[in-house]
Amino acid sequence: MTTQDHTLSTAAASPAPAGEAGGARPARHHPLTPVRARLAYWWNNTPAPGWRAVRSRADSLPRNVQVVSSLTGQDGLSIGYAGLPVGRTNILQLLEHQRTQLGWATVRCTDATIRWSDLAAGDWPDTDLVVVGAEERALRRLPEHGSVTAPFRLHLVVDIPPSQEELARLISKRERWQFRRDQREHQWVLEEDSSPEALTFFYERMHGPTMRNRHGDRSRTERLDVARYAVLRQGTLFFLSQAGTRVAGVLCHWSKDRRTLTTRLLGVLDGLDEHYHTGAFKALYHHLLQWACEQRVARVDLFGTEAYISKGIFQWKRRLGAHPEWPPNHFATKRVRIYPRRDTPAVRDFLVANPLVLTDARGRLTPVYYTDDDRPPRLDLSARCPGLAEPEVVHLDTVLKPVAVHEPPSGEQL
């Protein structure tokens, strides 16, 4: 086992929510050829069952597993993440951000590498919560008792009805009112422009600045050459214009049968907050859904999110009439398993503040809210979505009871 300890400043320890795109962090790269760009995108996003199975098996092959223990100050919640490297950005960063919302900043992280067999034997991080992100088949080697299992990722999809009136009824009343008010003031217009010059402008003046300004060095996105040769090649690019100036944009990708349009990269001009304050960013979604209705597009996939009802992306897209689905790519077979290891006020505060969409052995999705005698369930964080099961409210005494009687087998603490 190898370990590394590093301390974070308070500023660096309060990450912004992760970006919506599912690729790697932006970095300096040598340009990819068109073929290699398409292969890179295909490896992460192909919906073909056979190749998805290949990706799933490849992600299950490594015998070693990365482990990060993310620690706070005294009495704060400590979180251990083990599993797929992508989970350090998709899962751990979100959990750290949620923890920050409760007043506990990350002050120190310890990295380790161990074998899956050691993890299965009880070589666990010495943290209040242990979160394992892995292929479903890999999780079968770990104990289930005293844990909950959630999807690694979900996609939020709007089934487009045949008329604008029916589409409007899908959207929450408050969202409709705000959009109509802002649209009257700013007179936005949706434009479609898939030219190479338009893509360069979008990426350099909208998407890139937006990711940097909102997510800093923790942002995740596709490279420009992947956007050009893979996404746009089978997609289209939309801009929201105001008085002839393009103020927001979204790069979309078509499914093979052209029934589903998926939003992939988004941004506002120069990443400026003013385009959020005016409502332009939200208006882009409204205009896109209206365009899809006019064009008889069956579905608009508003892309992915982690399975936390408390996440802002989940709440915002839910109000547009979206419902959660399993991802069409390799994330469909990946899961997150959460093990509360201590019954403390911090653990209880965190679980109550962050209700989850959980999954059972049949893959059914159910919103779950936690509560106890002192902490009411956060039902103000609505999980109401078309087709989603009614939420369950679970008392934490039931969830945390096994902690005292079912600790993982003793082993070296990371």
Side-chain angles (χ1 to χ4, degrees):
M1 178 179 66
T2 60
T3 63
Q4 180 182 5
D5 181 83
H6 50 94
T7 302
L8 304 179
S9 68
T10 302
S14 303
E20 296 181 59
R25 296 181 186 180
R28 294 183 179 274
H29 297 283
H30 295 295
L32 293 177
T33 65
V35 171
R36 293 193 65 179
R38 288 193 287 271
L39 284 174
Y41 185 78
W42 164 87
W43 181 244
N44 287 320
N45 295 284
T46 179
W51 288 113
R52 271 177 38 181
V54 171
R55 172 63 188 266
S56 173
R57 191 165 298 277
D59 287 340
S60 300
L61 286 178
R63 295 184 178 183
N64 292 334
V65 58
Q66 295 185 351
V67 180
V68 182
S69 296
S70 178
L71 310 176
T72 67
Q74 189 175 11
D75 298 328
L77 178 81
S78 57
I79 302 170
Y81 173 79
L84 293 163
V86 68
R88 295 186 66 163
T89 50
N90 285 63
I91 304 300
L92 182 59
Q93 284 184 17
L94 172 63
L95 296 177
E96 289 178 321
H97 176 71
Q98 291 170 319
R99 182 175 63 187
T100 301
Q101 302 299 99
L102 295 174
W104 301 312
T106 306
V107 297
R108 186 165 62 91
C109 287
T110 300
D111 298 276
T113 302
I114 65 172
R115 293 175 298 181
W116 268 108
S117 57
D118 293 334
L119 188 68
D123 196 354
W124 294 76
D126 185 19
T127 53
D128 299 322
L129 288 183
V130 174
V131 181
V132 182
E135 286 289 334
E136 191 174 23
R137 62 165 61 92
L139 288 178
R140 293 175 190 149
R141 302 168 59 185
L142 303 182
E144 287 190 65
H145 186 68
S147 70
V148 295
T149 302
F152 200 100
R153 296 278 285 170
L154 289 171
H155 274 220
L156 294 165
V157 180
V158 180
D159 293 325
I160 304 297
S163 71
Q164 297 286 351
E165 292 76 14
E166 292 171 281
L167 175 64
R169 287 195 291 270
L170 281 179
I171 301 170
S172 75
K173 291 182 180 179
R174 182 170 179 80
E175 278 300 326
R176 294 201 307 265
W177 176 82
Q178 287 181 333
F179 168 64
R180 288 168 179 166
R181 179 200 62 188
D182 296 339
Q183 178 64 30
R184 284 193 299 268
E185 180 180 353
H186 299 286
Q187 296 296 304
W188 292 300
V189 177
L190 189 70
E191 302 175 354
E192 187 176 3
D193 184 350
S194 298
S195 67
E197 297 79 13
L199 177 64
T200 301
F201 172 82
F202 164 75
Y203 198 91
E204 295 181 353
R205 291 289 307 278
M206 292 184 173
H207 180 65
T210 297
M211 296 300 287
R212 288 192 297 271
N213 290 353
R214 296 189 69 81
H215 310 301
D217 61 0
R218 292 177 180 257
S219 63
R220 305 187 302 271
T221 190
E222 302 288 1
R223 294 170 48 167
L224 176 58
D225 38 18
V226 173
R228 186 182 308 281
Y229 298 124
V231 185
L232 188 60
R233 181 171 177 263
Q234 295 179 323
T236 190
L237 178 58
F238 294 96
F239 292 98
L240 195 69
S241 293
Q242 180 179 351
T245 299
R246 291 174 170 177
V247 296
V250 55
L251 177 62
C252 302
H253 190 264
W254 286 105
S255 61
K256 189 174 182 179
D257 60 8
R258 293 186 69 87
R259 286 179 49 81
T260 302
L261 184 67
T262 299
T263 61
R264 290 298 287 115
L265 306 181
L266 295 99
V268 296
L269 186 61
D270 297 326
L272 297 177
D273 286 342
E274 66 181 73
H275 302 304
Y276 292 87
H277 300 325
T278 64
F281 184 76
K282 288 185 175 184
L284 180 62
Y285 282 91
H286 285 270
H287 277 275
L288 182 64
L289 293 177
Q290 291 176 359
W291 179 91
C293 185
E294 293 170 359
Q295 300 299 318
R296 299 293 189 265
V297 177
R299 293 156 37 94
V300 174
D301 184 341
L302 301 180
F303 211 62
T305 180
E306 289 73 33
Y308 276 93
I309 297 166
S310 58
K311 188 172 181 181
I313 288 175
F314 184 95
Q315 287 297 315
W316 149 240
K317 294 180 179 178
R318 178 191 67 80
R319 292 194 290 269
L320 292 176
H323 63 274
E325 289 186 0
W326 291 101
N329 56 18
H330 65 96
F331 282 116
T333 56
K334 292 175 170 60
R335 302 288 185 271
V336 173
R337 185 169 291 167
I338 302 169
Y339 296 89
R341 297 196 61 212
R342 300 184 181 105
D343 186 352
T344 68
V347 169
R348 288 177 175 255
D349 288 344
F350 187 86
L351 293 177
V352 170
N354 296 289
L356 279 161
V357 178
L358 299 184
T359 181
D360 60 18
R362 297 183 181 180
R364 293 176 296 193
L365 301 173
T366 302
V368 174
Y369 294 80
Y370 295 108
T371 187
D372 64 16
D373 294 345
D374 301 314
R375 299 168 178 85
R378 287 296 308 274
L379 297 176
D380 55 304
L381 297 169
S382 176
R384 184 177 299 171
C385 296
L388 192 62
E390 286 295 312
E392 296 180 2
V393 177
V394 177
H395 200 287
L396 280 173
D397 288 355
T398 302
V399 177
L400 298 176
K401 183 178 180 180
V403 171
V405 297
H406 184 78
E407 289 285 346
S410 60
E412 179 186 1
Q413 295 300 306
L414 301 179

